[in-house]
């Protein structure tokens, strides 16, 4: 049979299981071409981790909902993608001794600054500027 590419949930489940079994830090790298679904994949990974770890509460909610704010300030419509991230981000979730999310960090970098003063033909500026109208 034909081999299927790995699914985000199975990748995250393996990383989480290794975290619990081995106690060491785990990483999941999401990369791809423009419009490949990296932002959505990260959301799925974080949601899966919250479910697998049975985490809930303010910290978990903030981690899961942070993408909405990040997208407003860092995403724009491009010719290829209506919700294109114009920056890179590092997302880190920290787990307590019970395996539940206890803190998180999202660091953005390489923001496309030229878009603030103007966008190319057929493109738009960052979403937040249209929300303020």
């Amino acid at each position: 049979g034909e081999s299927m590419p790995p699914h985000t949930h199975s990748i995250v489940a393996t990383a989480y299981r290794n975290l619990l079994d081995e106690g060491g830090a785990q990483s999941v790298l999401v990369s791809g071409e423009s419009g490949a679904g990296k932002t959505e994949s990260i959301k799925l990974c974080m949601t899966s981790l919250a479910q697998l770890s049975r985490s809930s509460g303010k910290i978990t909610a903030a981690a899961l909902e942070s993408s909405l704010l990040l997208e407003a300030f860092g995403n724009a419509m491009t010719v290829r993608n209506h919700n294109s991230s114009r920056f890179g981000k590092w997302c880190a979730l920290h787990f307590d001794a019970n395996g539940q999310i206890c803190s998180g960090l999202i660091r953005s970098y390489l923001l496309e600054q030229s878009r603030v003063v103007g966008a190319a033909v057929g493109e738009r500026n960052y979403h937040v500027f249209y929300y303020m109208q």
Side-chain angles (χ1 to χ4, degrees):
E2 190 174 314
S3 172
M4 296 292 290
H7 189 277
T8 55
H9 183 76
S10 64
I11 297 291
V12 167
T14 300
Y16 182 69
R17 197 168 33 257
N18 289 341
L19 172 75
L20 296 178
D21 293 347
E22 299 171 16
Q26 301 293 308
S27 298
V28 175
L29 175 66
V30 179
S31 65
E33 295 181 19
S34 178
K38 297 177 293 294
T39 298
E40 293 303 314
S41 292
I42 290 296
K43 289 179 196 175
L44 290 171
C45 287
M46 291 175 70
T47 299
S48 292
L49 279 169
Q51 292 171 346
L52 288 166
S53 65
R54 294 184 173 90
S55 296
S56 61
K58 291 181 181 178
I59 293 170
T60 302
L64 296 177
E65 294 172 7
S66 64
S67 62
L68 296 171
L69 186 60
L70 286 172
E71 286 181 24
F73 282 92
N75 287 23
M77 185 180 86
T78 65
V79 176
R80 296 184 66 182
N81 184 344
H82 288 284
N83 193 34
S84 181
S85 297
R86 309 315 302 158
F87 66 104
K89 63 185 163 222
W90 171 263
C91 303
L93 294 176
H94 302 266
F95 296 83
D96 62 19
N98 297 319
Q100 292 189 318
I101 296 171
C102 63
S103 69
L105 167 76
I106 299 176
R107 180 166 291 153
S108 62
Y109 57 96
L110 301 176
L111 181 67
E112 184 184 40
Q113 295 175 359
S114 62
R115 188 170 292 275
V116 173
V117 293
V121 175
E123 297 190 351
R124 287 177 39 156
N125 209 314
Y126 293 107
H127 295 327
V128 70
F129 293 120
Y130 301 94
Y131 296 157
M132 295 188 310
Q133 294 180 345

